[in-house]
Amino acid sequence: MQVTPSGQGLGARVEGFDVSKPLSHEDYKKIESLLGQYGVLCFSKQNLTGAQLKDFSSKFGTLEVNVANMYQEPGHPEVMILSNKKVDGKPIGLGDAGQDWHTDMSYSKMIAFTNVLYGIEIPHRNGQPLGSTEFSNMRAAYLALPEELKKKLDGMTVLHDFNKFWENMRKQPGCTRPPLTEAQRKAKPPVSHPIFLTHPITGDKILYANPGYSIQINELPQKESDEILNFLFAHQLQPQFRYQHRWTAGDVLMWDNMGTIHNAVADYGPDEHRFIKRCQVMADRYFPLAA
Ligand code: OGA
Ligand code: MN
């Protein structure tokens, strides 16, 4: 494997590795360590089936089948389709996934470790790729916090709510998501996690809060919690912590959902097609007690 750091706040390109081949234990350990170090890895020029994407991803932990139970690769429900394409007027994938800064599954008792996305069709305009995925480095964000605030927040916990992201999406023009029903909200009650997590791969402290799902610092009164969360949401998006992945078809993009937050840039139109296959890997191998 040849590893080239992006030169930005996180991210690296990995060449000389074939994601479609069975993964050796040695390569697994190497990739795990690179993920901890760089947060986002791009394996370029890949050629995979959905089943091969699933096999590779499942080496890193249990795969989550998306709650919507829609837009799945036939025969492989763990492989989800992200796309704005339609066949006979019907969407063939989730068209608005991840379009705000968030960390996947922070609203779940078992958090997510990594997502593995395989880009098959990438929209372009005037020769430039559209529909980038942006990332920000939560180890760097933690380190750059004022010492006073690190001390004050140490040991505190944050409440994460799936409904926050859902309701924000519903405010977007053209969104067709209905409000969550009482039963859906009951199935996804808000959950708490430490505001500073110790990263299970690197041992570094990271800021584990994100604008998409975090609603409250439990140990603080509402007003102070709102003020500090708003400060953290601005702080964690500073340009020096960031990397923008401009997709090329054939990229397999893999990121650490504990040490990073991400955002899907919705800068393409309905006729500019994006088609990506995705697996979501849970962090159960690092946090077995939460399973
Ligand atoms: C995701 C996600 C970003 C993208 O798959 O979790 O947020 O750019 N996707 O599609
Ligand atoms: Mn996401």
Side-chain angles (χ1 to χ4, degrees):
M1 289 185 213
Q2 295 96 48
V3 181
T4 313
S6 73
Q8 300 178 44
L10 68 170
R13 176 173 301 277
V14 182
E15 277 152 318
F17 179 77
D18 185 346
V19 177
S20 74
K21 295 257 168 66
L23 182 66
S24 68
H25 184 68
E26 201 188 350
D27 283 347
Y28 161 74
K29 292 306 284 181
K30 174 88 190 154
I31 291 170
E32 180 191 46
S33 142
L34 288 172
L35 259 187
Q37 187 178 353
Y38 292 107
V40 185
L41 301 178
C42 174
F43 303 94
S44 38
K45 302 193 179 75
Q46 302 295 320
N47 189 0
L48 305 180
T49 63
Q52 287 166 333
L53 177 68
K54 169 173 136 182
D55 284 350
F56 173 79
S57 306
S58 66
K59 297 293 192 318
F60 293 86
T62 299
L63 299 184
E64 168 83 1
V65 175
N66 191 270
V67 274
N69 244 319
M70 277 168 81
Y71 308 135
Q72 296 163 346
E73 169 102 347
H76 300 287
E78 303 88 346
V79 179
M80 191 177 178
I81 309 297
L82 308 182
S83 187
N84 59 347
K85 291 172 78 167
K86 291 184 177 173
V87 172
D88 298 332
K90 288 206 190 78
I92 59 165
L94 184 62
D96 59 2
Q99 295 178 355
D100 191 4
W101 285 96
H102 66 287
T103 305
D104 281 81
M105 312 284 311
S106 73
Y107 53 81
S108 160
K109 217 171 128 203
M110 174 56 72
I111 61 174
F113 168 31
T114 177
N115 289 18
V116 191
L117 268 61
Y118 173 42
I120 296 169
E121 275 180 72
I122 304 303
H124 282 78
R125 201 183 297 156
N126 304 324
Q128 295 299 317
L130 300 169
S132 292
T133 312
E134 300 181 292
F135 295 89
S136 196
N137 182 336
M138 292 305 105
R139 171 179 47 199
Y142 171 79
L143 283 172
L145 282 175
E147 286 305 320
E148 289 281 286
L149 194 59
K150 279 189 205 162
K151 273 206 209 97
K152 179 184 170 79
L153 298 180
D154 195 39
M156 292 191 179
T157 58
V158 172
L159 198 63
H160 299 259
D161 188 356
F162 179 71
N163 193 50
K164 180 182 183 188
F165 198 92
W166 193 270
E167 280 302 314
N168 282 342
M169 287 304 297
R170 282 179 19 85
K171 292 187 197 127
Q172 301 304 311
C175 178
T176 56
R177 298 184 187 206
L180 293 180
T181 62
E182 198 60 28
Q184 282 171 317
R185 294 198 62 168
K186 278 224 176 78
K188 285 183 180 294
V191 301
S192 295
H193 297 292
I195 189 160
F196 302 139
L197 275 185
T198 300
H199 196 285
I201 300 173
T202 62
D204 293 330
K205 276 202 179 174
I206 53 177
L207 170 60
Y208 194 73
N210 66 84
Y213 297 117
S214 302
I215 56 170
Q216 165 92 45
I217 300 172
N218 293 303
E219 293 76 6
L220 296 177
Q222 185 73 51
K223 185 167 172 285
E224 193 181 7
S225 163
D226 287 348
E227 283 165 9
I228 295 183
L229 279 181
N230 285 335
F231 169 82
L232 293 175
F233 296 157
H235 169 86
Q236 68 187 168
L237 290 177
Q238 292 176 65
Q240 68 271 28
F241 307 147
R242 288 177 45 182
Y243 165 65
Q244 177 175 30
H245 185 71
R246 292 159 58 87
W247 285 86
T248 300
D251 285 349
V252 169
L253 194 72
M254 182 172 194
W255 66 83
D256 164 21
N257 265 303
M258 300 180 287
T260 71
I261 61 173
H262 62 278
N263 172 45
V265 180
D267 58 356
Y268 51 97
D271 298 322
E272 294 170 311
H273 288 159
R274 192 175 195 256
F275 186 88
I276 286 179
K277 293 186 182 179
R278 167 188 192 268
C279 285
Q280 165 89 70
V281 184
M282 304 309 288
D284 50 339
R285 67 187 322 140
Y286 303 110
F287 304 105
L289 293 178

